[in-house]
Amino acid sequence: MIEIFRGSYIEVMSIKNLLKNNNIDAFIANENMSNIQPWSVSAGGNAPAILKVTETEYNDAKKIITNYNNGEFDLIT
C-alpha cells in the first residue's frame, strides 16, 4: 500500500469516502490514534491520519485527490 494523502482524521475520512464512491479501496493508517491522540502520531498533531491505496489504484486515486484539491468536489452536501 502506498501513502496517497495525509491530513486530519475528518479530512482523511472524507477523502476515503470520495475514493470509495469511485470504487477505489483505501486504508487509514493510524486511524484510532489519529482520532484519539493526534499529537502522539505526529508532532503537534498535524496531519496525523495517513490514507493509503494499492499500487494498482494509485494513479486513479491521485487524479481524484487532485480534483478534490482543485475544488471540483463539494463534500459538504
Side-chain angles (χ1 to χ4, degrees):
M1 305 225 34
I2 301 172
E3 179 180 330
I4 193 160
F5 189 83
R6 183 182 288 252
S8 70
Y9 178 74
I10 293 170
E11 187 174 27
V12 168
M13 281 299 298
S14 295
I15 298 291
K16 180 181 178 185
N17 288 333
L18 181 62
L19 294 175
K20 184 176 181 178
N21 289 339
N22 286 278
N23 299 317
I24 297 173
D25 292 322
F27 170 77
I28 301 175
N30 303 327
E31 183 170 8
N32 293 329
M33 290 306 293
S34 67
N35 194 19
I36 298 168
Q37 291 182 317
W39 60 88
S40 68
V41 177
S42 66
N46 295 323
I50 302 167
L51 190 64
K52 295 184 175 191
V53 295
T54 62
E55 290 181 35
T56 57
E57 297 181 313
Y58 179 82
N59 290 329
D60 292 334
K62 191 68 175 170
K63 289 176 189 174
I64 292 168
I65 291 172
T66 298
N67 291 341
Y68 165 78
N69 286 331
N70 291 333
E72 295 184 28
F73 293 104
D74 182 11
L75 301 178
I76 303 293
T77 58

